[in-house]
Amino acid sequence: GGVRSMGGGSGAPDAIRLASMSAVSLALAFVLRRGVDVNELTVVGHSSEGQKEWDELMLPLIGPELWRLDVEEPRRALAWVRGWVDFNYCRGANRPGRAMQRAGLKTPVEVRHTLQGICLKFMPPGTRNPGGGFDGLRDGGLEILVDEPSEHRRGRIRVRRCSYGWRKKPMEGSERAILSKLRKDWKMAESLR
């Protein structure tokens, strides 16, 4: 693999240098710990050595991921997550009012089922573009995904940010409300098993 750093104003690569996975991992960890602003990091090349480990290492950066929980039965977890979202966020939480407040939200949400779980997108009043549909919502959202187990890890529930348009700030209050309720309700559901 290699690391490519982009030049300050030109957008052209300054240099391409080969680096090991551990060197890239250490560099990423340093940058994330320090809060350094990185314009772009591109990993080039391909090596079958450690590819699955590399994919797992980079996975939390997509979105980024906000929460993760290992689960014993991913199919049951997927059904539970879909039912939980339908019960909490599909009965009036898509418009301002009492149902939205009961769900603990300050911003209405629109919900869609996906193959791996659910996508909730925030819909501040007056921001929906005519004809844009669900895909046109760019004020942010959360994806709740359920991953099947692999030979290297157990099944899991992951929550990550999605659909934040250019220069949109995360809706941390609504994200926190959804995550808090998800954690609490999952814990309660597991205690009743």
Side-chain angles (χ1 to χ4, degrees):
V3 178
R4 174 182 289 176
S5 64
M6 300 304 282
S10 69
D14 290 331
I16 298 176
R17 296 195 176 93
L18 295 179
S20 67
M21 281 194 342
S22 62
V24 174
S25 300
L26 290 171
L28 276 173
F30 174 81
V31 165
L32 293 172
R33 273 195 314 274
R34 300 277 187 225
V36 175
D37 187 16
V38 177
N39 293 333
E40 182 178 333
L41 172 71
T42 304
V43 179
V44 295
H46 180 69
S47 167
S48 59
E49 171 198 337
Q51 186 63 43
K52 287 187 170 99
E53 292 84 5
W54 181 251
D55 291 344
E56 272 301 302
L57 177 70
M58 299 302 286
L59 189 61
L61 299 176
I62 299 170
E65 189 173 289
L66 302 175
W67 184 67
R68 174 184 289 208
L69 177 72
D70 288 340
V71 294
E72 293 293 326
E73 301 173 59
R75 289 175 197 229
R76 187 182 70 78
L78 178 60
W80 184 89
V81 163
R82 286 182 172 159
W84 178 82
V85 167
D86 288 346
F87 180 78
N88 288 291
Y89 302 105
C90 291
R91 301 183 318 156
N94 62 342
R95 60 188 171 277
R98 295 184 55 70
M100 188 185 83
Q101 292 170 345
R102 250 191 326 272
L105 299 175
K106 294 179 180 175
T107 306
V109 294
E110 187 76 26
V111 176
R112 289 293 182 270
H113 287 243
T114 65
L115 289 176
Q116 280 187 274
I118 293 286
C119 181
L120 296 112
K121 290 187 179 181
F122 301 119
M123 257 184 358
T127 59
R128 189 167 206 156
N129 295 329
F134 186 75
D135 293 332
L137 296 173
R138 292 283 174 230
D139 287 290
L142 293 176
E143 278 186 291
I144 305 173
L145 306 167
V146 179
D147 295 332
E148 289 291 328
S150 74
E151 60 190 53
H152 299 291
R153 62 165 174 75
R154 296 171 40 188
R156 62 189 172 201
I157 298 173
R158 295 183 301 121
V159 179
R160 68 182 184 192
R161 284 184 176 144
C162 69
S163 300
Y164 277 99
W166 180 249
R167 296 188 180 243
K168 295 288 182 178
K169 292 186 179 185
M171 298 202 177
E172 293 176 344
S174 292
E175 289 176 349
R176 196 175 307 112
I178 293 168
L179 279 171
S180 173
K181 187 164 185 52
L182 174 62
R183 280 191 219 117
K184 184 183 95 183
D185 291 352
W186 177 263
K187 187 175 181 180
M188 184 174 60
E190 286 296 291
S191 72
L192 297 175
R193 280 186 71 204

